[in-house]
């Protein structure tokens, strides 16, 4: 239903900031006015594909080179309002970006390189102006700075670190730390990097602002490297052959500014909020439909989906395939060869593409995931395209000596046997009589309701996640590492849903008898430890959840994980997370 809105879209609106004074408090409110101009789809259609080169994202070292034990690893990264050129033919866009100055901030932000077991300390600074460039919605649970400004807080996605460094949604801060949220405690975050080597990313997480702060540009990649493993494996390496592809989707006005609808799908309840943001233009490393000139050899691509709501089912033309070596933050036990990969928002695929296996001189990276996933619209000629690889003629010189190892890494067992507890987590969507979404809750509870998930630090649990909504939801937990071991659908979703609406108790509603329907295969490339797992609608997904270091034989955390303000778990469709498919989680000793 809401997807139709994207096709019908023919006019634009823009944001005007009004400051309404009431007594001595002033509350900023976004207001929208219609403007004339090109329809946004015409903007997408006016951009020639594959004319901008895929940028190299700048890298910063979150460690001191050559000294793993005594690294200072201190970084200061700011958030700035700046201008960004997304395409040769699109005027500059006002964005929010991470970097060390407004002049050097980039979309995505600098890639932070860390070394396993060597801590990185980052002071995240907010240099953003008084008002946001996108519409927000004061009817959501939302950070509300009394004196205005853009609330921000950074979360390292996939990171294993203490609660005060986790970027709790209420630990937000405005420019110069002049105002802070209720759980804010410190300016500098410590990332111990005790995770095994892998792929992470950082992004904003401020309460009620996540979807717009990311759409405005606040995302960046983070890598934890294990130099020993790099040397052993001989995977494609170095800045030329080991690259990030950070995916996003955005819609633009013809003046280059980012479009987001200012009117909610049910404006009488939420004046601005819409259940899912889908953009017409696919962005890779900050460029619309870029191209990359490649040699006829193997490349490693770390593909991160930073979209608000768009799933990507990626494939390559001209007979090329992906060899997946890792997912989210862990490697696979053995590489998996596949023609296509489905990435939910925030999921990561670590893949090798061997361009020597084709004689063609180009290969397109395409997307055919319906939106919303899995039953929505088919991608069109715009959002069905991602980027192009132009393959150099002739053999590579020097020859490609990289290899793909047959075995990569084995982690802690994913057996459910030693689990100390089973929890039932139910995903609900609340709609109007005509089926328009008004909010999405976990377990029928609001974010601000008292914490109900209190796992023991060091334990293994089973989480049975039941999706009672029409959509697939990328389920993400902070701190924990988890793995789907079984997906089985309910035999009578309506009966179960009706029972849950009354009792809100999965066991009392016969989940054991219910979840005996169709078994859904978990793709081989997802059979590893992850931090985001897709939740099939109408089904129960069994997760083994480790509150331990799976890359280090289930060792306990080398920091206090039981402190304030705790952690969160949530849906990674950002529009859902903001309204309010998110719950607190407090570890106990
Ligand atoms: C690492 O740095 C510390 C502190 O600067 C120094 O004492 C130590 O000798 C260094 N170790 C190596 C192997 O360079
Ligand atoms: C932050 O501090 C800088 C430098 O002191 C100042 O120029 C700027 O106006 C301050 N911004 C806010 C929002 O307080
Ligand atoms: C914005 O959303 C509203 C409510 O769903 C819809 O009626 C309207 O057409 C949308 N506006 C645009 C420009 O897409
Ligand atoms: C990217 O992630 C978003 C949500 O976070 C998801 O909706 C979308 O399908 C993902 N796209 C790809 C290509 O994985
Ligand atoms: C692979 O070749 C490069 C030069 O292209 C060389 O620097 C590197 O040492 C070689 N690696 C191995 C493992 O032979
Ligand atoms: C379960 O715990 C026991 C005792 O600590 C241990 O020996 C066994 O390996 C564990 N099993 C799994 C599958 O982790
Ligand atoms: C569900 O939405 C309706 C409006 O359509 C509202 O009256 C009701 O309070 C909502 N329920 C919850 C649990 O949010
Ligand atoms: C639970 O569901 C199963 C499958 O629908 C059914 O056979 C069984 O009778 C139910 N048990 C109860 C107690 O309702
Ligand atoms: C993606 C998916 O399978 N979503 C399902 C979630 O549950 C609802 C209701 O059970 C189904 O209608 C959806 O298809
Ligand atoms: Cu969701």
């Amino acid at each position: 239903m809401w997807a139709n809105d994207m096709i019908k879209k023919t006019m634009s609106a823009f944001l005007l900031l009004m400051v309404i004074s009431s007594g001595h408090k002033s509350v900023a409110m976004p207001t929208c006015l219609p403007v004339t101009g090109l329809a946004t789809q015409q903007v997408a259609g006016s951009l020639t594909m594959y004319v901008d080169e895929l940028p190299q994202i700048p890298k910063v070292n979150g460690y001191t080179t050559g000294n793993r034990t005594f690294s200072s690893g201190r970084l200061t990264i700011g958030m700035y309002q700046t201008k960004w050129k997304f395409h040769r033919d699109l005027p500059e866009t006002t964005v929010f970006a991470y970097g060390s100055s407004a002049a050097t901030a980039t979309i995505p932000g600098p890639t932070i390189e860390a070394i396993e077991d060597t801590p990185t300390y980052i002071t995240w600074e907010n240099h953003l102006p008084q008002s946001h460039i996108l519409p927000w919605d004061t009817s959501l649970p939302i950070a509300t700075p009394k004196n205005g400004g853009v609330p921000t807080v950074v979360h390292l996605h996939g990171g294993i670190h203490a609660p005060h460094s986790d970027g709790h949604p209420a630990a937000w801060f405005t420019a110069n730390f002049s105002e802070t949220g209720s759980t804010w405690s410190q300016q500098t975050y410590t990332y111990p990097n005790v995770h095994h080597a892998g792929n992470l990313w950082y992004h904003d997480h401020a309460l009620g602002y996540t979807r717009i702060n990311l759409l405005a540009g606040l995302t960046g990649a983070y890598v934890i490297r294990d130099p020993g493993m790099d040397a052993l494996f001989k995977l494609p390496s170095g800045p030329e052959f080991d690259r990030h592809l950070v995916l996003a989707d955005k819609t633009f006005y013809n003046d280059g500014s980012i479009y987001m609808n200012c009117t909610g799908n049910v404006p009488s309840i939420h004046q601005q909020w819409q259940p899912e943001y889908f953009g017409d233009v696919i962005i890779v490393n900050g460029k619309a439909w870029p191209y990359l000139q490649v040699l006829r050899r193997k490349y490693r691509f770390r593909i991160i989906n930073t979209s608000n709501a768009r799933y990507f089912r990626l494939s390559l033309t001209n007979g090329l395939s992906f060899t997946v070596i890792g997912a989210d933050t862990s490697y696979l036990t053995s590489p998996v060869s596949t023609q296509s990969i489905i990435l939910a928002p925030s999921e990561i695929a670590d893949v090798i593409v061997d361009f020597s296996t084709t004689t063609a001189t180009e290969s397109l990276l395409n997307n055919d995931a319906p939106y919303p996933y899995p039953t929505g619209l088919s991608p069109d000629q715009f959002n069905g395209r991602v980027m192009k690889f132009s393959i150099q003629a002739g053999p590579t010189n020097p020859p490609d000596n990289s290899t793909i190892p047959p075995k990569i890494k084995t982690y802690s067992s994913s057996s459910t046997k030693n689990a100390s507890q089973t929890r039932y987590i139910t995903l609900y969507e609340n709609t109007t009589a005509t089926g328009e979404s008004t909010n999405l809750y976990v377990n029928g509870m609001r974010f601000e309701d008292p914490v109900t998930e209190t796992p023991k630090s060091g334990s293994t649990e089973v989480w049975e996640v039941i999706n009672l909504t029409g959509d697939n939801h990328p389920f993400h937990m902070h701190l924990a590492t988890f793995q789907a071991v079984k997906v089985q659908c309910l035999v009578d979703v309506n009966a179960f849903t009706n029972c849950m609406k009354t009792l809100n108790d999965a066991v009392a509603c016969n989940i054991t008898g219910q979840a005996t329907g169709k078994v859904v295969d978990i793709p081989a490339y997802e059979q590893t430890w992850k931090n985001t797992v897709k939740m099939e609608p109408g089904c129960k997904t069994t997760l083994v959840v480790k509150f331990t270091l799976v890359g280090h034989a289930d060792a306990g955390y080398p920091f206090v994980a039981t402190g304030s303000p705790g952690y969160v778990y949530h849906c990674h469709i950002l529009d859902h997370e903001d309204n309010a498919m998110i719950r607190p989680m407090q570890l106990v000793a």
Side-chain angles (χ1 to χ4, degrees), residues 37-355:
L38 273 179
T40 52
Q41 285 235 325
Q42 281 173 266
V43 175
S46 74
L47 303 179
T48 309
M49 290 183 184
Y50 319 129
V51 293
D52 290 287
E53 189 173 5
L54 181 81
Q56 274 284 11
I57 307 169
K59 288 191 163 77
V60 292
N61 286 340
Y63 58 91
T64 300
T65 313
N67 192 333
R68 296 186 56 181
T69 317
F70 297 95
S71 158
S72 78
R74 291 186 184 279
L75 297 174
T76 297
I77 298 182
M79 299 160 227
Y80 297 90
Q81 176 169 314
T82 185
K83 299 276 188 187
W84 187 257
K85 191 94 172 131
F86 282 100
H87 187 278
R88 183 190 71 185
D89 301 330
L90 189 68
E92 284 188 325
T93 302
T94 300
V95 294
F96 291 170
Y98 290 110
S100 50
S101 68
T104 57
T106 52
I107 302 277
T111 297
I112 300 167
E113 300 252 347
I115 301 278
E116 189 173 331
D117 294 329
T118 299
T120 303
Y121 306 91
I122 305 184
T123 306
W124 300 100
E125 291 183 346
N126 179 332
H127 297 276
L128 296 171
Q130 258 317 91
S131 54
H132 213 290
I133 54 173
L134 294 171
W136 64 101
D137 190 326
T138 53
S139 67
L140 301 177
I142 189 167
T144 311
K146 289 189 196 65
N147 301 312
V150 177
T152 60
V153 61
V154 184
H155 171 58
L156 175 59
H157 180 112
I160 296 182
H161 41 244
H164 48 67
S165 293
D166 192 51
H168 188 270
W172 53 266
F173 51 93
T174 55
N176 297 347
F177 299 102
S178 58
E179 268 189 76
T180 56
S182 60
T183 61
W184 183 88
S185 62
Q186 59 199 56
Q187 298 189 355
T188 300
Y189 284 5
T190 301
Y191 302 115
N193 300 317
V194 287
H195 207 289
H196 46 97
N199 297 302
L200 298 82
W201 60 297
Y202 59 94
H203 63 77
D204 197 75
H205 217 300
L207 188 66
Y209 276 86
T210 305
R211 73 195 183 296
I212 58 173
N213 283 354
L214 270 75
L215 188 59
L218 295 177
T219 65
Y222 188 109
V223 184
I224 300 180
R225 293 186 187 277
D226 172 354
M229 197 164 163
D230 288 352
L232 187 68
F233 278 173
K234 302 189 173 65
L235 288 163
S237 61
E240 195 181 356
F241 304 125
D242 176 359
R243 317 255 325 215
H244 275 87
L245 302 180
V246 180
L247 310 182
D249 59 335
K250 297 188 201 300
T251 293
F252 296 97
Y253 291 114
N254 60 346
D255 69 356
S257 55
I258 300 169
Y259 165 82
M260 185 181 218
N261 197 335
C262 292
T263 306
N265 62 320
V266 188
S268 59
I269 296 177
H270 297 300
Q271 71 270 14
Q272 185 277 325
W273 182 82
Q274 296 256 354
E276 274 146 14
Y277 179 91
F278 294 110
D280 302 322
V281 178
I282 305 294
I283 311 287
V284 189
N285 295 0
K287 292 290 174 190
W289 300 296
Y291 73 89
L292 176 65
Q293 188 79 44
V294 292
L295 302 177
R296 210 166 275 281
R297 54 158 288 150
K298 290 189 275 311
Y299 283 71
R300 178 176 186 174
F301 294 112
R302 303 165 189 258
I303 310 175
I304 310 181
N305 175 7
T306 69
S307 292
N308 279 39
R310 181 175 295 283
Y311 283 54
F312 289 95
R313 183 159 59 205
L314 301 171
S315 61
L316 290 159
T317 59
N318 285 328
L320 290 172
S321 60
F322 303 102
T323 302
V324 186
I325 58 168
D328 298 351
T329 55
S330 77
Y331 286 102
L332 300 182
T333 313
S334 302
V336 172
S337 182
T338 178
Q339 300 296 318
S340 71
I341 306 169
I342 303 180
L343 279 189
S346 91
E347 275 191 305
I348 297 179
D350 196 336
V351 305
I352 307 291
V353 176
D354 190 348
F355 294 101

Side-chain angles (χ1 to χ4, degrees), residues 399-463:
D400 180 6
N401 56 8
S402 66
T403 57
I404 304 176
K407 289 274 174 219
I408 308 176
K409 196 167 162 74
T410 305
Y411 299 92
S412 312
S413 153
S414 61
S415 162
T416 54
K417 288 232 175 61
N418 285 354
S420 54
Q421 179 161 4
T422 298
R423 294 176 197 276
Y424 292 92
I425 308 291
T426 307
L427 308 179
Y428 288 94
E429 180 167 23
N430 187 24
T431 62
T432 62
T434 56
E436 285 294 335
S437 185
T438 56
N439 58 34
L440 298 103
Y441 283 163
V442 178
N443 290 341
M445 280 185 267
R446 301 171 309 161
F447 177 54
E448 56 272 38
D449 288 332
V451 63
T452 43
E453 275 59 64
T454 54
K456 282 203 180 73
S457 185
S459 69
T460 299
E461 297 193 343
V462 169
W463 286 34

